[in-house]
């Protein structure tokens, strides 16, 4: 036996898988090759299969997705109206969401992604409105010229395969972004400190929902508030209750249990709407603010339509009309340089849309979701640019992949085990197509939407946020601060890393989450949100490798197949070490959850 064999040593953790913890860019598909490749794979390869992939689940998910889309669409529409002087309003938001969703469901490369309004895009549009006001240029004209530059940037980026840089956004950024969007949903449902929305806001006697009844002596705002809170939290609880039937022993068979699970949201919304209408019809609650007619929101004082009725002409009895659908590109108020100047804000808009889309696509296409029909980053970015320029010219809001609805859509179409692990996903275009057709039809049937109490939809929002939390590893690591170490959930990092190292990584992630959250919610600097989000990528690439070893970043942040490769190599190295050591128990050493892998000496001692 050689001297080396007489003193066997475990290999260092960092040497087990050389690529562990490293972020590597894909080979570039330049000059439009990426667009062509993705079109062939996603459209020519799977389009027909996805268009006929219909079953009972498809109906349930379509109705659920409609509910998940229509409420934020109307809510964002109302906020757009306030933020843009009614240049963009509820009807524009509904129309934009409907046609873009239908078009994307037919022509898009990744049909599980849901296109809609998002808070960051709304904040940027508000900033763009303030810029146009400062320039004394009509907002819709400036908005349209910015959209022209935006589509050019999207086409250039897709043509040169610059979307491959989205792969630099590892789980570190993905989960910060996902938790940010989930936090927005939960806060807006419960009661956001940054706005007047949410169930607990009804306890405020000055809430806007109470103002319409301030002259009614029989109206009690607390009665309305408590009923609203019960409706909201009750809706959320009932959804979770019904979805729990899937793996319960109750009901006749698995088919019925699965149907109850799939229709949980629809049944819950109908149930609590009926409870309100049949049991407490005399108690008023807030309703969706839906448009009463199909016309543009902005009402004009005169033929030029540069002044808004009745704000700018209070003495005028009737409006002259509404704004035309198409923006006037030549209405520059004598400032011919504005179309060129719009290229600057368009760069920030592009960064925002690039990140909003890219990170959401990255989350949806993560390997643990087991999607099989391929990715289409370049093709879909080009398509997204086309959607933005059409919406910009028509005075409709820019729409991007909306993170929480995308995650909810994916999970609703997935088959999971009792622990929530995805086994397979029904990849179909029909749910996206059907739900957005319903959004379009609802423009003609707004009286039906008014029947649904807004607190019930807040309950759906709360469910969407809470149901997404357990799937975010960042959230689970945050909870570990309050858990007994012996009861930590089973992850590769809890098996092989010290708790203090895991907590250090989580603290760094919390710090960057706090920065992004603060910038996103502080209106004066909200326009910098995309740049702050982008800052997380170099932090992962250059800061974290200085603090953590590559194997630690691997088990915390790498792709699942790389993590599995490292764990397999680690267990194999331990077995080889034990084979050379007297009295080694080969059957148990590989699963020792208390093993500290900081260095080779500690490994040897614990074996």
């Amino acid at each position: 036996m050689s001297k080396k064999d007489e003193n066997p040593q475990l290999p260092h953790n960092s040497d087990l898988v050389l690529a562990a913890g490293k972020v590597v860019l894909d080979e570039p598909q330049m000059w439009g090759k990426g667009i062509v490749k993705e079109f062939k794979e996603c459209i020519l390869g799977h389009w027909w299969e996805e268009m006929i992939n219909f079953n009972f689940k498809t109906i349930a998910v379509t109705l659920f997705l409609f509910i998940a889309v229509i409420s934020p669409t109307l809510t964002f529409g109302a906020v757009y109206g306030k933020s843009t002087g009614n240049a963009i309003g509820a009807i524009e938001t509904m129309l934009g969401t409907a046609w873009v969703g239908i078009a994307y469901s037919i022509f898009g490369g990744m049909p599980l992604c849901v296109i809609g309004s998002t808070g960051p895009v709304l904040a940027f549009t508000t900033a763009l409105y303030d810029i146009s006001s400062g320039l004394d240029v009509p907002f819709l004209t400036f908005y349209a010229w910015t959209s022209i530059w935006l589509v050019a940037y999207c086409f250039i980026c897709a043509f040169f395969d610059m979307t491959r840089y989205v792969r630099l956004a590892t789980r570190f950024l993905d989960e910060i972004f996902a938790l940010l969007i989930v936090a927005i949903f939960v806060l807006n449902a419960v009661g956001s400190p940054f706005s007047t929305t949410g169930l607990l806001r009804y306890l405020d006697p000055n809430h806007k929902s109470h103002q319409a009844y301030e002259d009614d002596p029989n109206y009690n705002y607390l009665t309305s508030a408590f009923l609203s809170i019960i409706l909201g939290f009750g809706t959320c609880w009932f959804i979770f209750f019904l979805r729990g039937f899937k793996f319960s022993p109750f009901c006749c068979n698995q088919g019925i249990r699965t149907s109850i699970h799939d229709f949980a949201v629809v049944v819950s919304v109908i149930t609590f709407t009926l409870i309100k209408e049949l049991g407490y019809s005399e108690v008023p609650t807030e309703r969706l603010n839906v448009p009463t007619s199909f016309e543009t929101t902005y009402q004009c004082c005169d033929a030029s339509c540069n002044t808004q009725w009745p704000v700018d002409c209070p003495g005028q009895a009737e409006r002259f009309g509404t704004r035309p659908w198409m923006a006037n590109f030549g209405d520059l108020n004598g400032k011919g340089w504005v179309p060129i100047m719009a290229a600057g804000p368009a760069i920030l808009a592009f960064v925002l849309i690039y990140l909003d889309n890219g990170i959401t696509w990255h989350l949806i296409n993560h390997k643990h979701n087991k999607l099989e029909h391929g990715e289409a980053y370049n093709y879909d970015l080009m398509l997204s640019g086309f959607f933005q320029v059409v919406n910009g010219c028509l005075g409709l809001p820019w729409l991007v992949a909306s993170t929480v609805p995308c995650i909810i859509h994916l999970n609703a179409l997935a088959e999971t085990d009792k622990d929530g692990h995805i086994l397979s996903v029904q990849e179909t275009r029909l749910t996206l197509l059907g739900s957005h057709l319903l959004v379009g039809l609802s423009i003609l049937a707004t009286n039906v939407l008014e029947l649904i109490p807004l607190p019930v939809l807040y309950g759906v929002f709360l469910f969407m946020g809470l149901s997404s939390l357990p799937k975010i590893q960042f959230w689970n690591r945050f909870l570990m601060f309050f858990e007994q170490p012996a009861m930590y959930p089973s992850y590769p990092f809890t098996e092989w890393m010290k708790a203090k190292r895991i907590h250090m990584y989580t603290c760094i992630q919390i710090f960057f989450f706090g920065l992004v959250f603060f910038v996103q919610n502080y209106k004066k600097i909200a326009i910098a949100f995309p740049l702050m989000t982008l800052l997380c990528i170099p932090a992962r690439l250059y800061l974290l490798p200085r603090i953590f070893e590559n194997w630690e970043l691997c088990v915390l942040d790498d792709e699942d197949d790389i993590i599995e490769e490292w764990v397999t190599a680690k267990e194999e190295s331990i077995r080889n070490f034990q084979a050379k050591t007297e009295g080694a128990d080969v059957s148990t050493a590989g699963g020792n959850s208390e093993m500290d892998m900081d260095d080779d000496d500690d490994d040897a001692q614990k074996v």
Side-chain angles (χ1 to χ4, degrees):
M1 182 179 294
S2 66
K3 185 176 181 180
K4 181 178 180 180
D5 290 336
E6 292 175 357
N7 298 286
Q9 292 184 347
L10 280 169
H12 195 277
N13 291 331
S14 297
D15 299 329
L16 294 173
V17 178
L18 295 181
K22 297 180 180 178
V23 182
V24 181
L25 277 176
D26 296 338
E27 288 294 324
Q29 299 283 328
M30 304 284 281
W31 311 107
K33 294 179 182 178
I35 300 173
V36 174
K37 177 176 178 291
E38 292 163 357
F39 181 81
K40 289 180 178 179
E41 289 181 356
C42 298
I43 304 299
L44 300 183
H46 301 286
W47 188 87
W48 181 246
E49 177 186 349
E50 293 167 348
M51 287 299 290
I52 63 173
N53 194 356
F54 176 83
N55 54 29
F56 200 57
K57 180 190 283 286
T58 310
I59 301 173
V61 176
T62 297
L63 294 175
F64 170 31
L65 194 58
F66 166 69
I67 294 171
V69 168
I70 189 62
S71 181
T73 296
L74 291 169
T75 303
F76 273 108
V79 180
Y80 267 113
K82 294 178 181 178
S83 303
T84 64
N86 284 328
I88 299 174
I91 197 69
E92 288 86 359
T93 309
M94 291 178 72
L95 178 61
T97 302
W99 93 262
V100 170
I102 293 170
Y104 185 76
S105 67
I106 298 173
F107 302 107
M110 297 179 285
L112 292 189
C113 291
V114 181
I115 310 297
S117 300
T118 65
V121 174
L122 170 61
F124 186 87
T125 305
T126 303
L128 211 61
Y129 178 79
D130 294 337
I131 293 173
S132 68
S133 299
L135 295 174
D136 194 23
V137 173
F139 165 69
L140 289 180
T141 301
F142 188 61
Y143 185 60
W145 277 112
T146 305
S147 300
I148 294 290
W149 284 102
L150 177 58
V151 69
Y153 296 147
C154 288
F155 272 55
I156 292 170
C157 179
F159 189 74
F160 290 103
D161 191 25
M162 294 173 66
T163 61
R164 70 185 187 277
Y165 292 104
V166 173
R167 273 67 168 188
L168 296 176
T170 63
R171 193 194 303 263
F172 178 78
L173 174 55
D174 288 348
E175 294 188 337
I176 289 174
F177 193 81
L179 189 60
L180 174 71
I181 304 301
V182 167
I184 292 172
F185 265 73
V186 173
L187 286 175
N188 285 341
V190 175
S192 174
F194 307 102
S195 69
T196 59
T197 61
L199 293 169
L200 298 182
R201 287 291 185 177
Y202 292 121
L203 295 172
D204 181 2
N206 298 317
H207 190 271
K208 61 180 181 180
S209 65
H210 306 314
Q211 293 175 358
Y213 305 95
E214 58 186 1
D215 296 329
D216 185 351
N218 297 320
Y219 178 75
N220 187 326
Y221 82 93
L222 286 177
T223 302
S224 176
F226 285 132
L227 178 60
S228 298
I229 291 172
I230 291 171
L231 291 174
F233 286 109
T235 301
C236 180
W237 167 82
F238 198 47
I239 294 172
F240 279 111
F241 174 76
L242 293 176
R243 287 172 66 88
F245 272 89
K246 185 173 184 178
F247 297 106
S248 76
F250 299 99
C251 296
C252 305
N253 54 55
Q254 188 58 48
I256 293 178
R257 289 192 291 268
T258 300
S259 297
I260 293 174
H261 171 275
D262 292 341
F263 282 91
V265 174
V266 177
V267 171
S268 185
V269 169
I270 293 174
T271 299
F272 278 85
T273 299
L274 290 176
I275 289 174
K276 163 63 177 70
E277 293 301 320
L278 299 179
Y280 303 94
S281 58
E282 74 282 359
V283 181
T285 55
E286 189 175 14
R287 304 281 181 171
L288 278 171
N289 184 18
V290 295
T292 56
S293 58
F294 184 71
E295 60 182 6
T296 51
T297 306
Y298 190 92
Q299 302 182 75
C300 312
C301 289
D302 52 38
S304 68
C305 209
N306 290 326
T307 52
Q308 181 181 184
W309 181 87
V311 178
D312 298 325
C313 47
Q316 188 171 320
E318 295 182 359
R319 68 184 188 183
F320 177 84
T322 59
R323 74 165 176 88
W325 283 102
M326 182 65 69
N328 184 354
F329 285 86
D331 188 10
L332 300 172
N333 200 16
K335 301 178 175 65
W337 45 266
V338 166
I340 304 300
M341 177 266 178
I347 293 177
L348 287 176
F350 166 73
V351 173
L352 175 59
I353 288 172
Y354 177 88
L355 290 175
D356 234 345
N357 279 324
I359 294 174
T360 303
W361 294 338
H362 198 248
L363 279 169
I364 295 301
N365 286 285
H366 201 278
K367 292 182 180 179
H368 67 250
N369 290 328
K370 295 182 172 59
L371 299 182
E372 299 177 352
H373 289 187
E375 304 171 350
Y377 287 75
N378 293 298
Y379 173 74
D380 275 6
L381 182 64
M382 181 183 70
L383 206 58
S384 178
F386 172 74
F387 294 151
Q388 312 315 338
V389 73
V390 172
N391 282 7
C393 293
L394 294 177
L396 309 180
W398 292 333
L399 303 171
V400 295
S402 186
T403 306
V404 170
C406 286
I407 295 174
I408 291 296
H409 188 208
L410 171 73
N411 292 336
L413 289 170
E415 290 296 331
T416 61
D417 60 21
K418 63 180 181 180
D419 296 321
H421 299 133
I422 292 177
L423 303 176
S424 64
V425 178
Q426 178 186 342
E427 298 187 55
T428 178
R429 296 175 180 269
L430 298 177
T431 50
L432 194 62
L433 176 61
S435 60
H436 285 79
L437 278 172
L438 290 175
V439 172
L441 291 174
S442 65
I443 298 176
L444 307 176
T446 55
N447 56 327
V448 177
L449 293 177
E450 289 179 330
L451 296 176
I452 304 176
L454 188 56
V456 169
L457 296 177
Y458 280 146
V460 176
F461 285 171
L462 184 59
F463 159 74
M464 291 169 64
L466 293 179
S467 63
S468 301
L469 275 177
K471 301 179 185 300
I472 301 176
Q473 191 188 100
F474 178 19
W475 172 252
N476 293 325
R477 279 189 280 102
F478 172 74
L479 294 180
M480 286 170 57
F481 283 113
F482 314 101
E483 296 174 346
Q484 180 184 346
M487 302 294 289
Y488 282 167
S490 178
Y491 288 108
F493 54 83
T494 58
E495 295 289 326
W496 303 104
M497 288 181 64
K498 283 185 175 181
K500 66 179 182 181
R501 300 287 289 173
I502 299 172
H503 294 330
M504 182 185 298
Y505 180 87
T506 306
C507 286
I508 294 173
Q509 213 168 7
I510 291 172
F511 172 76
F512 281 95
F513 171 82
L515 285 179
V516 175
F517 184 83
F518 173 76
V519 172
Q520 194 267 335
N521 285 285
Y522 192 60
K523 293 183 178 180
K524 292 184 178 180
I525 57 174
I527 195 172
F529 169 78
L531 298 179
M532 187 56 63
T533 306
L534 194 63
L535 180 65
C536 296
I537 294 180
R540 167 60 181 90
L541 294 178
Y542 303 111
L543 174 63
L544 293 187
R546 295 178 178 271
I547 302 173
F548 299 94
E549 295 189 51
N550 66 345
W551 70 271
E552 293 177 309
L553 291 175
C554 171
V555 295
L556 284 165
D557 189 49
D558 227 325
E559 296 284 355
D560 291 345
D561 55 343
I562 303 296
I563 296 175
E564 184 177 350
E565 181 183 355
W566 185 91
V567 171
T568 301
K570 183 62 192 176
E571 292 175 345
E572 180 66 24
S573 70
I574 292 175
R575 283 192 292 268
N576 292 337
F577 175 81
Q578 291 173 328
K580 300 174 185 178
T581 306
E582 288 186 353
D585 184 356
V586 176
S587 64
T588 60
N592 187 349
S593 63
E594 296 181 0
M595 187 172 295
D596 180 349
M597 296 299 160
D598 278 355
D599 54 57
D600 297 339
D601 292 338
D602 286 345
D603 289 345
Q605 291 172 8
K606 295 206 175 212
V607 171

